[in-house]
Amino acid sequence: QSSQPSSPAPTLKLDLSLYLVTSSSLLPPGATLESHVEAAIKGGVTIVQLREKTLDTAPFINLGKRIHAVTKKYGVPLLINDRVDVAQAVGCEGAHIGWDDMDYNTARLILGPKAIIGISVSNLTQASHAASTTCDYLGIGPIYPTPTKPDASPACYPTGVRHILELVSTKRPNLPSVVIGSINHTNVQSTIYKSRPREGAPLAGIAVISAIISSKEPETAASTLLSLFKSPPPWA
Ligand code: TZP
Ligand code: MG
């Protein structure tokens, strides 16, 4: 009897519907990032980005490995913010890079063709540039001003997001985008609605930090956000 060859590691599907970005400093007192991320995934988070701006390389890799053990259990991709070297050391599914980070082609060379690589864009110039790469998705933001990232570019608001989506649809029609910046359960539906492009695909998802990370009930916070994202707003 011949034994089955061991199957390769499954490539995790890219579902951007509810994108959790972390920031350990915003956790409620007593919470751990591992348990918070696990609860949020149980509530419906579809992808996680580890964004820990103050960690040095070794503790960042360490935390990345611990969080990856959680995300892997649920088949949810884990990406690392800014640090392609940390993503490579953790062996997670990819990285998210911005305008000031490593350039996209170098990140792709390091992480390989199967990695998920996302790029942050804040305006049409950056979106045009990012859409000329083979990146997997765009993170558009901040859509609204947010205390979570005081040094962020000026907010682009739903109209700016709509213009970016319309531009992207002419250059890379199948490139999905998420928005980030003060998204919460009170504005998610109006945000999706007001950002919808005249031509091309609407937003593929919403990305949040504080709406889930600062919540004492991350599972409920996630399930509420996901169901609001998935259901049409009452006025549409
Ligand atoms: N990039 C643009 S806004 C932002 C990032 C990382 C922070 C979003 O955090 P919050 O708490 O969801 O407003
Ligand atoms: Mg960055």
Side-chain angles (χ1 to χ4, degrees), residues 91-108:
C92 60
E93 287 69 32
H96 182 90
I97 52 180
W99 203 243
D100 302 326
D101 301 316
M102 178 183 282
D103 94 280
Y104 169 78
N105 289 323
T106 312
R108 177 61 71 193

Side-chain angles (χ1 to χ4, degrees), residues 21 26 51 141-142 144 146-149 152 180-183 207-211:
V21 181
L26 296 178
R51 181 178 184 272
Y144 305 115
T146 172
T148 308
K149 190 175 181 184
I180 187 162
S182 287
I183 302 288
V208 304
I209 300 184
S210 51

Side-chain angles (χ1 to χ4, degrees), residues 53 81-82 98 101:
K53 294 284 191 186
N81 179 265
D82 294 347
D101 301 316

Side-chain angles (χ1 to χ4, degrees), residues 20-153:
L20 174 64
V21 181
T22 74
S23 179
S24 296
S25 62
L26 296 178
L27 286 168
T32 68
L33 194 63
E34 283 101 316
S35 64
H36 228 69
V37 166
E38 180 155 18
I41 291 174
K42 285 183 180 158
V45 159
T46 55
I47 181 164
V48 178
Q49 179 195 129
L50 195 60
R51 181 178 184 272
E52 300 292 339
K53 294 284 191 186
T54 58
L55 286 184
D56 289 332
T57 305
F60 201 173
I61 293 172
N62 233 302
L63 180 64
K65 287 185 172 166
R66 296 201 317 267
I67 299 297
H68 196 214
V70 175
T71 57
K72 265 201 296 201
K73 225 165 61 174
Y74 297 90
V76 165
L78 175 69
L79 312 184
I80 304 290
N81 179 265
D82 294 347
R83 299 285 304 271
V84 171
D85 58 329
V86 171
Q88 195 185 22
V90 170
C92 60
E93 287 69 32
H96 182 90
I97 52 180
W99 203 243
D100 302 326
D101 301 316
M102 178 183 282
D103 94 280
Y104 169 78
N105 289 323
T106 312
R108 177 61 71 193
L109 271 176
I110 292 172
L111 295 176
K114 286 192 182 151
I116 299 169
I117 305 181
I119 301 184
S120 290
V121 301
S122 304
N123 55 48
L124 287 168
T125 308
Q126 292 178 357
S128 173
H129 184 264
S132 69
T133 71
T134 58
C135 72
D136 297 286
Y137 73 90
L138 300 184
I140 305 173
I143 181 165
Y144 305 115
T146 172
T148 308
K149 190 175 181 184
D151 64 337
S153 312

